[in-house]
Amino acid sequence: MFNFMKKKSKAETPQQRAERDSAVDKVLLGYEVGTVSIATMVTGLERDGQVLTLDLRLPKDSNPEQIQQELGQLLHPHGIRTIHMNVRLPADVKGAGASLPKSMPKTTDAMATHAKPATQADQQPTSSEPPITKAAPTQASLAAHPRIRHIIVVASGKGGVGKSTTTVNIALALQKLGNRVGVLDADIYGPSMPTMLGVADIKPELENEQFVPVEAHSMAMLSIGSLLDSDNTPVAWRGPKATGALMQLYNQTNWPQLDYLVIDMPPGTGDIQLTLAQRIPVTGAVIVTTPQHVALMDAQKGVEMFNKTNIPVLGVVENMALHTCSNCNHTEAIFGSGGGEFIAEQYQVPLLGQLPLASGIRAQVDKGVPSVLADDEFASYYLSIAKNIETNIAKFAKPVDDKRIF
């Protein structure tokens, strides 16, 4: 569904992989449980050659065993020989009794030509206990990446607050302070890092079935935008496909030794943010907001989400704080004032810095030469933010397991 590249048999060409993934998508979209497409119930998907693994949240009255068999028959013509299904069903309610669906069997080959005859024990109703499901991973249980010292996510509760511009300048500022820095563009639906770093026309190479990051001003960078045919190509994907793409960009990339990997997050608090919180070992988050009241409301939601997922908030950046007229030099707080200070005080986190609303900042990223790289009049703002991040980040660092093998 979202496999750009996965370990597969050598006989399968990239075109064949793409065709098979497309066929799997169509089958899932067309297969209905009740009157609802099963694609809306997929919380995770992975295809490895002829093996398809699905994480599903099914309705209470569904029959997982039947679904597995029917999907197996539909996918068999498309080269899928084995289906693994990790199913989550709603907990039983009092009085449901015999209406409970059968318990899921151990993972089996749904394409097997000879099925084991059902025994009397198989036909007995299961206990009223809800199925045991594996708890979602937490930040505390995630091992640090062996080659990345700190992973910082730059996030915002809403779009249009200058998050990506802030991300790219913070990354360049951290590099200017003497750090080895990489950038991962996790804004799957609106990737902008390739353009902002002036590498929109460069595609990542593949080496040993892993992406080689694009080099952008001596930083390792990877974005879904680097894999698309053009800047106009839309990424119209459902949640599971987008989150799967994020994990592939992170896991299947040969990242060099880095002090910082700065991740540009999409706006909001949706699937991608939750997947990252459960599967990527994050040192801390930087929240970008404007002083405007509606932006602050959404920024608060972002802080709350990171608090609930045990990701430390390193601080708040207030963007577009003041505007100075280029004609008369009059300074005005167009979007209000004090918003960043309010959020920082409310959640007892640092106010990392305040940035002006200036056309020069916008013009530089549009040219692919951000302010820090151009060393213009605004570069000092981002360098100050980077220094404030470095001051406190050590206490949030995760222990590195040097023996980990990817």
Side-chain angles (χ1 to χ4, degrees):
M1 220 172 183
F2 40 74
N3 282 293
F4 302 117
M5 175 189 64
K6 199 74 176 172
K7 289 185 178 180
K8 307 205 173 54
S9 62
K10 294 182 179 179
E12 191 176 34
T13 66
Q15 182 178 354
Q16 289 171 330
R17 289 199 295 269
E19 290 174 352
R20 186 176 294 185
D21 287 342
S22 176
V24 170
D25 272 0
K26 290 179 181 178
V27 169
L28 293 178
L29 287 170
Y31 183 86
E32 293 184 347
V33 179
T35 58
V36 181
S37 169
I38 199 172
T40 64
M41 306 171 193
V42 176
T43 59
L45 180 151
E46 182 175 327
R47 185 175 73 81
D48 189 355
Q50 299 178 343
V51 179
L52 179 69
T53 301
L54 293 173
D55 297 331
L56 295 168
R57 189 183 294 273
L58 296 176
K60 180 186 67 174
D61 56 350
S62 59
N63 187 331
E65 200 168 352
Q66 180 182 352
I67 291 171
Q68 189 180 36
Q69 292 173 353
E70 290 177 352
L71 281 178
Q73 294 171 0
L74 293 172
L75 290 169
H76 188 271
H78 304 295
I80 301 298
R81 299 292 180 261
T82 303
I83 296 180
H84 299 323
M85 284 176 37
N86 303 316
V87 174
R88 187 163 189 167
L89 298 170
D92 183 28
V93 294
K94 188 174 181 180
S99 64
L100 283 173
K102 295 179 181 179
S103 62
M104 271 296 292
K106 292 182 179 180
T107 302
T108 57
D109 183 352
M111 317 305 173
T113 54
H114 301 290
K116 177 183 175 182
T119 64
Q120 185 175 0
D122 293 331
Q123 298 172 357
Q124 295 298 320
T126 58
S127 76
S128 60
E129 292 293 326
I132 298 175
T133 56
K134 184 179 179 180
T138 62
Q139 279 292 312
S141 67
L142 297 176
H145 193 291
R147 296 188 300 279
I148 302 174
R149 184 181 174 197
H150 298 298
I151 295 179
I152 297 175
V153 297
V154 182
S156 63
K158 69 189 301 293
V161 299
K163 170 187 56 60
S164 295
T165 300
T166 303
T167 299
V168 73
N169 276 295
I170 286 178
L172 287 165
L174 288 168
Q175 182 189 51
K176 199 164 187 177
L177 293 176
N179 298 292
R180 297 163 297 182
V181 180
V183 177
L184 173 58
D185 192 352
D187 195 347
I188 302 298
Y189 299 110
S192 54
M193 286 295 113
T195 299
M196 289 185 171
L197 286 168
V199 291
D201 297 328
I202 301 177
K203 303 294 183 185
E205 296 180 357
L206 292 178
E207 187 176 279
N208 297 325
E209 295 192 336
Q210 284 195 315
F211 291 116
V212 177
V214 173
E215 184 174 332
H217 309 296
S218 300
M219 293 194 305
M221 189 282 301
L222 194 62
S223 166
I224 187 67
S226 303
L227 304 172
L228 300 177
D229 293 333
S230 69
D231 292 340
N232 297 326
T233 304
V235 181
W237 291 346
R238 295 183 184 274
K241 190 171 183 178
T243 55
L246 167 63
M247 293 312 302
Q248 283 189 267
L249 292 177
Y250 172 73
N251 282 324
Q252 292 178 235
T253 298
N254 187 18
W255 296 106
Q257 201 75 32
L258 298 175
D259 296 307
Y260 292 94
L261 177 65
V262 184
I263 301 181
D264 183 33
M265 297 296 294
T269 54
D271 288 345
I272 293 178
Q273 287 84 349
L274 292 174
T275 295
L276 177 139
Q278 293 177 348
R279 300 177 65 183
I280 295 179
V282 178
T283 305
V286 173
I287 303 295
V288 179
T289 186
T290 66
Q292 188 177 5
H293 177 63
V294 293
L296 294 173
M297 292 170 58
D298 290 327
Q300 287 173 304
K301 296 174 185 176
V303 175
E304 291 286 354
M305 185 202 72
F306 287 121
N307 286 342
K308 289 179 179 179
T309 54
N310 298 315
I311 293 178
V313 175
L314 302 177
V316 177
V317 173
E318 185 182 74
N319 197 19
M320 310 181 193
L322 292 172
H323 172 66
T324 301
C325 178
S326 58
N327 290 324
C328 66
N329 289 326
H330 171 68
T331 299
E332 184 178 2
I334 294 177
F335 292 108
S337 62
E341 294 173 347
F342 172 77
I343 294 284
E345 183 178 347
Q346 180 183 13
Y347 290 99
Q348 298 183 341
V349 297
L351 178 62
L352 298 172
Q354 294 171 295
L355 298 166
L357 175 61
S359 61
I361 296 176
R362 186 271 310 159
Q364 289 302 135
V365 294
D366 282 352
K367 291 191 298 185
V369 187
S371 291
V372 173
L373 194 64
D375 199 18
D376 62 14
E377 59 183 304
F378 308 109
S380 60
Y381 290 95
Y382 296 105
L383 286 168
S384 176
I385 292 171
K387 289 176 183 177
N388 288 335
I389 290 174
E390 287 216 290
T391 298
N392 296 314
I393 198 168
K395 63 185 178 183
F396 300 115
K398 296 180 179 294
V400 176
D401 181 5
D402 295 328
K403 297 180 180 178
R404 183 180 174 189
I405 299 175
F406 274 73

